[in-house]
Amino acid sequence: MVAEQQAAGVKNDRRFTVEAPLRIGIVGTGGIAKVQAAGVRQLDGRARIVAACDVDADRVRDFQSTWNVPIGTTSLEELLEAVDLDIVHLCSPPGLHKQQAVTVLRRGIHVLSEKPPALSLAELDEIAEAEREGGAQFATVSQHRFGSRALWLRDRVADGTFGRPLTAVCNTLWYRPDSYFEVPWRGKWDVEGGGPTMGHGIHQMDTMLSILGPWSQVVAVAARQARPVVTEDLSHAIVSLENGAVASIVNSLLSPRETSYLRFDFEYATVELEHLYGYSDTSWKITPAPGHEDSVTDAWEQAPTGTGSGHSAQFAAILDAIEHGRRLPVTLTDARATLELIAAIYASAFTGTRIHAGELDDRSPFYRSMAGTGAPWNEAAAADDSAASAQGAVA
């Protein structure tokens, strides 16, 4: 019975107040941990970071001092032994998420992981097994799902206010110079999981799927155009969705005019969202189709406002879910749908085939690694190295 209650989200079922806040442990105290700490501060005292760990002791101490965190360690195990926690936030590099999540979940403590939650579908399925074993829940940071307009548009798609969704655009056009990849874990399959398709565009793709629903098939290309990486620095994909809509997706780290852009074309209206790393109400725009001006405008004016995207909005939703015994947003099922689309983009790009949802099971090399059968540019580089070696031997 206890395990069933925990799986249903009843574990830690209590009201969070300034006197008895949600107790958060932070793993990894780099840049994203600071963003999370700022988000926690916006929760009116309902949550507090009570412990943090990082392999860099000086960085932990700086984080403790800046954010008034009482306990700091250089070990996850020490962190879990030092204090009772309600939830652990993973702000570490992606290659560490799986093992850290499994360790925490098996202790019956909830986990909230930054994106990407795992390096592969296989790793995410291992996390799901640990979730079942420990009775706690795993959620993924998907902060763009929680703005007022995004939540409202999701409901309007469901009730057909703007008619059928017909086509969509989902672009993450960002710029990262060569120096960005001097950080050892960036631009590598085995520690970052992929390039912009995995580590950057995941935010917009996840938001698109949360609004339009499941995808059914994808065709894609990927390339390494300019950056000193073994992953891609650019991908393009055409995605068919179960509801019949077709979306185009571009993920780039080569674009000097940076933007994050989502466009939804329905029968009766176009809805656009343009921002960079986070949106507000003013980031949205709606254009009625001819003959539907009044109904579309009336619906848009009734939409709730006031909450943009951001960690604090999702943190508040997590607090509410625990208090009311609900599943934590965003679930493993939600995260897997997005991760499967990413794996399918790589699979299509590297094999030259159309990939269908559900196709990448444990028999596929893309189930265990986003690199799958191998990026074509890596094969070309290997062939060049082999040819050079052979020429040297003859000489």
Side-chain angles (χ1 to χ4, degrees):
M1 182 63 179
V2 171
E4 292 174 357
Q5 289 178 330
Q6 290 177 344
V10 177
K11 182 178 183 291
N12 296 331
D13 184 15
R14 59 184 174 85
R15 294 288 176 183
F16 300 110
T17 65
V18 174
E19 293 76 20
L22 181 83
R23 297 160 300 195
I24 299 172
I26 293 278
V27 179
T29 56
I32 196 61
K34 298 177 178 66
V35 174
Q36 286 212 9
V40 171
R41 279 195 174 174
Q42 297 177 45
L43 297 175
D44 299 324
R46 296 176 67 209
R48 185 185 177 195
I49 301 171
V50 298
C53 75
D54 195 297
V55 293
D56 187 325
D58 290 336
R59 191 159 57 192
V60 174
R61 282 191 290 268
D62 288 344
F63 186 83
Q64 288 181 260
S65 176
T66 301
W67 300 101
N68 191 27
V69 176
I71 296 172
T73 77
T74 56
S75 160
L76 175 58
E77 292 291 346
E78 289 179 6
L79 180 85
L80 298 176
E81 292 292 338
V83 61
D84 289 332
L85 297 169
D86 297 302
I87 191 166
V88 168
H89 292 198
L90 300 183
C91 300
S92 48
L96 302 175
H97 288 173
K98 188 266 291 186
Q99 190 53 55
Q100 290 173 343
V102 167
T103 297
V104 177
L105 289 169
R106 284 179 175 164
R107 287 177 174 253
I109 301 170
H110 298 316
V111 173
L112 176 64
S113 174
E114 282 289 346
K115 281 196 180 79
L119 297 185
S120 66
L121 293 170
E123 285 196 355
L124 203 63
D125 288 346
E126 286 187 58
I127 293 172
E129 179 60 30
E131 185 186 59
R132 288 189 290 269
E133 290 174 359
Q137 297 179 55
F138 180 92
T140 299
V141 172
S142 299
Q143 69 272 26
H144 296 320
R145 288 178 177 235
F146 293 90
S148 301
R149 293 285 193 189
L151 292 168
W152 177 84
L153 183 59
R154 191 176 311 152
D155 290 339
R156 299 296 72 77
V157 172
D159 67 22
T161 295
F162 300 136
R164 290 188 300 120
L166 303 175
T167 186
V169 175
C170 178
N171 289 345
T172 302
L173 304 176
W174 293 1
Y175 185 85
R176 296 293 184 269
D178 289 357
S179 59
Y180 174 81
F181 299 98
E182 292 173 0
V183 176
W185 55 268
R186 287 179 177 153
K188 299 179 175 63
W189 296 108
D190 58 343
V191 284
E192 191 172 21
T197 314
M198 179 68 155
H200 304 80
I202 187 172
H203 296 281
Q204 308 315 314
M205 289 186 284
D206 179 80
T207 305
M208 181 191 74
L209 293 179
S210 76
I211 290 170
L212 291 183
W215 65 279
S216 60
Q217 56 182 312
V218 60
V219 291
V221 295
R224 186 183 63 180
Q225 296 283 72
R227 296 295 173 258
V229 295
V230 297
T231 64
E232 88 289 359
D233 55 19
L234 173 71
S235 69
H236 287 234
I238 304 296
V239 178
S240 299
L241 295 124
E242 286 187 2
N243 60 21
V246 179
S248 66
I249 299 175
V250 181
N251 300 300
S252 168
L253 294 181
L254 310 172
S255 306
R257 191 187 83 78
E258 296 185 285
T259 187
S260 302
Y261 180 68
L262 285 169
R263 173 177 173 138
F264 306 96
D265 288 319
F266 303 96
E267 289 181 285
Y268 312 140
T270 292
V271 179
E272 296 172 90
L273 169 61
E274 186 164 15
H275 62 104
L276 188 51
Y277 302 134
Y279 62 79
S280 65
D281 291 336
T282 60
S283 306
W284 294 84
K285 178 181 178 181
I286 192 164
T287 304
H292 296 275
E293 291 86 354
D294 291 344
S295 61
V296 167
T297 301
D298 288 345
W300 191 249
E301 289 178 348
Q302 294 174 26
T305 59
T307 301
S309 63
H311 286 73
S312 62
Q314 184 170 0
F315 294 167
I318 287 173
L319 285 167
D320 292 342
I322 296 175
E323 285 185 349
H324 295 95
R326 299 192 299 260
R327 295 294 303 178
L328 304 188
V330 171
T331 68
L332 270 166
T333 300
D334 298 328
R336 199 182 194 284
T338 301
L339 204 65
E340 186 187 10
L341 174 58
I342 292 168
I345 290 173
Y346 285 121
S348 177
F350 294 170
T351 64
T353 60
R354 183 183 303 268
I355 304 297
H356 294 82
E359 181 178 338
L360 303 179
D361 58 20
D362 59 8
R363 296 169 293 181
S364 168
F366 292 93
Y367 174 77
R368 303 201 176 278
S369 169
M370 295 294 168
T373 53
W377 51 87
N378 293 338
E379 295 173 6
D384 290 344
D385 290 344
S386 177
S389 298
Q391 186 176 6
V394 171

